[in-house]
Amino acid sequence: MTARDRNLTRQAARHLLFYVWIIALLLPAAATPCDAFDWVPSDEEIQKYRKSWNPFSEGPLLIQSVDIHPAGQLSVRPFVFSQVAEKSYGNTLSLPSEAKDGPVHTYAVSPLVTMTYGLSNHFELGAATSMIAFWSKDTTSANAGNGGPWTTDAGMGDTSIILKYRPVVQDPDSARPSFTLYQQLILPTSRWTGTERPPGGVAPLGRLPSTRFGELGFTEGATFRKNLKPFRLSGGVYYTYSAPGSDNNQTTYVGDVINTRLVFEHFLSEKHGFAYNLELATVHTGTWRLDGHSVNRGAVNGSTVIGIEPAIQFKLTDSIVGALGVLFTVAGQNAADAIYPNFAFQWYWNQGKKVIMR
């Protein structure tokens, strides 16, 4: 192990221990009755919501469910996300018509598996791990007559540990939506296992909150959802801070990342869980950091990408649902102009009882 790797491992261990300590403080409150947590929302409010209109379905592809599993219910969600990027945006926010042939062409496939489990009526614990395979060609080198060799790698992606707390559940008889707080710890398992960083360095638009690939990170988010038969509306805002890194004995600092999501679902068949979605996703890499350090790696001038995904969702059985869609960018700055075909399946288990839609 190099000195750089040892330094990064020590930093990761310190941050990981801190985050585990925070979770350890929260889990006992999630697992046992406690006035500080269990009184919001009340059991009556939760039961009223669970008996209201909410068809069993996959839900949005680009945002985790805002409402949480009941205690003891589990879901496993394989998600295959791919990327085709041959153009890129310049230093000003612009439309695809202004995107230029990119200096690098990248094609990638990144399977992701997310497991979520209801700890209580208010808390949900999740874990997500991924793989990545990418093929990238330096077109600038090729155009200069230097061959433009392909760079390719396949290996483990990053791993996330997720904790969600829902202090407000939606009321079917009023305009009140569900409101959930989202905490995510991103472990750089891609770097620990030697997976090469893909061009751009940011996990693709849409796969959970996008983060810096191969960086230890912390995400805080706030999400909402409201059911209005035959529609569901949900959205969220996420902020990700990456811990300092090291390169050639120099401490490196990358910009913080802001994600937003807004999703509209329209059900055409409740029995079959069949609906179409329109999903808006944005990712903005800032020129600042919460710790006040100047950004000296990555997109030092910041970057922005805005994407829209049309998708369809469907029910396969009483415990398996799925969805598929294609995300494409509609505007960007210092980012790839790309399309992202993707699909997901989700299996629910509720201790032999009927599955309860989140």
Side-chain angles (χ1 to χ4, degrees):
M1 181 181 290
T2 65
R4 173 179 178 270
D5 289 337
R6 285 193 296 271
N7 183 44
L8 291 174
T9 300
R10 285 193 294 269
Q11 291 184 29
R14 287 195 295 269
H15 286 89
L16 177 58
L17 286 173
F18 173 75
Y19 208 87
V20 169
W21 177 71
I22 293 297
I23 292 177
L25 291 178
L26 292 174
L27 288 185
T32 60
C34 176
D35 290 342
F37 290 92
D38 282 354
W39 67 274
V40 177
S42 68
D43 288 340
E44 289 76 15
E45 290 175 310
I46 293 172
Q47 291 305 318
K48 183 179 180 181
Y49 161 64
R50 288 179 179 164
K51 292 176 182 178
S52 66
W53 179 84
N54 192 20
F56 179 53
S57 64
E58 163 62 30
L61 278 158
L62 304 183
I63 185 174
Q64 278 208 324
S65 177
V66 173
D67 286 295
I68 65 175
H69 281 299
Q73 182 168 288
L74 167 78
S75 70
V76 180
R77 187 193 196 214
F79 184 14
V80 178
F81 204 87
S82 59
Q83 177 185 19
V84 178
E86 297 182 344
K87 293 186 177 182
S88 62
Y89 296 101
N91 197 36
T92 58
L93 187 64
S94 55
L95 300 175
S97 58
E98 301 175 63
K100 307 297 183 183
D101 189 45
V104 176
H105 289 184
T106 300
Y107 312 90
V109 178
S110 185
L112 173 78
V113 177
T114 303
M115 298 179 61
T116 51
Y117 180 77
L119 294 171
S120 74
N121 283 333
H122 313 309
F123 283 88
E124 181 179 280
L125 182 65
T129 189
S130 62
M131 304 287 290
I132 188 169
F134 71 89
W135 299 262
S136 179
K137 185 174 184 178
D138 186 337
T139 57
T140 301
S141 178
N143 293 337
N146 297 326
W150 287 89
T151 299
T152 182
D153 196 16
M156 189 170 186
D158 294 329
T159 299
S160 294
I161 300 172
I162 302 159
L163 183 66
K164 293 163 57 181
Y165 167 53
R166 182 184 60 187
V168 178
V169 67
Q170 60 182 291
D171 178 11
D173 295 330
S174 73
R176 187 182 72 201
S178 291
F179 179 77
T180 300
L181 301 177
Y182 179 99
Q183 295 82 38
Q184 179 183 7
L185 168 66
I186 305 100
L187 301 174
T189 48
S190 59
R191 189 182 71 225
W192 295 346
T193 56
T195 305
E196 186 171 340
R197 187 190 301 268
V202 175
L205 174 66
R207 294 177 55 253
L208 297 176
S210 297
T211 59
R212 297 289 309 181
F213 189 86
E215 301 284 350
L216 177 68
F218 307 89
T219 296
E220 296 290 334
T223 61
F224 76 91
R225 184 167 89 170
K226 181 62 179 174
N227 300 338
L228 297 166
K229 185 179 181 179
F231 309 111
R232 286 198 302 225
L233 183 67
S234 55
V237 178
Y238 309 86
Y239 192 100
T240 299
Y241 164 83
S242 295
S246 178
D247 184 21
N248 294 324
N249 295 320
Q250 179 187 8
T251 303
T252 58
Y253 303 99
V254 295
D256 293 350
V257 179
I258 299 172
N259 287 255
T260 67
R261 303 285 188 270
L262 183 63
V263 182
F264 170 83
E265 305 170 64
H266 181 196
F267 278 84
L268 304 177
S269 173
E270 298 176 25
K271 178 180 178 181
H272 300 97
F274 182 68
Y276 68 85
N277 303 353
L278 290 176
E279 308 189 24
L280 172 68
T282 74
V283 179
H284 177 72
T285 301
T287 57
W288 66 86
R289 291 173 53 86
L290 281 178
D291 58 20
H293 288 286
S294 298
V295 176
N296 61 6
R297 286 292 189 278
V300 295
N301 295 319
S303 68
T304 299
V305 61
I306 303 171
I308 291 180
E309 169 160 302
I312 59 171
Q313 52 178 303
F314 43 84
K315 183 175 74 172
L316 296 175
T317 72
D318 289 338
S319 60
I320 301 175
V321 289
L324 57 90
V326 178
L327 174 67
F328 55 92
T329 54
V330 294
Q333 171 205 5
N334 293 330
D337 176 35
I339 61 172
Y340 305 89
N342 57 94
F343 65 90
F345 293 97
Q346 191 161 190
W347 170 73
Y348 284 75
W349 176 81
N350 192 18
Q351 309 173 82
K353 298 179 290 186
K354 182 180 179 181
V355 167
I356 298 175
M357 181 62 185
R358 291 193 286 170

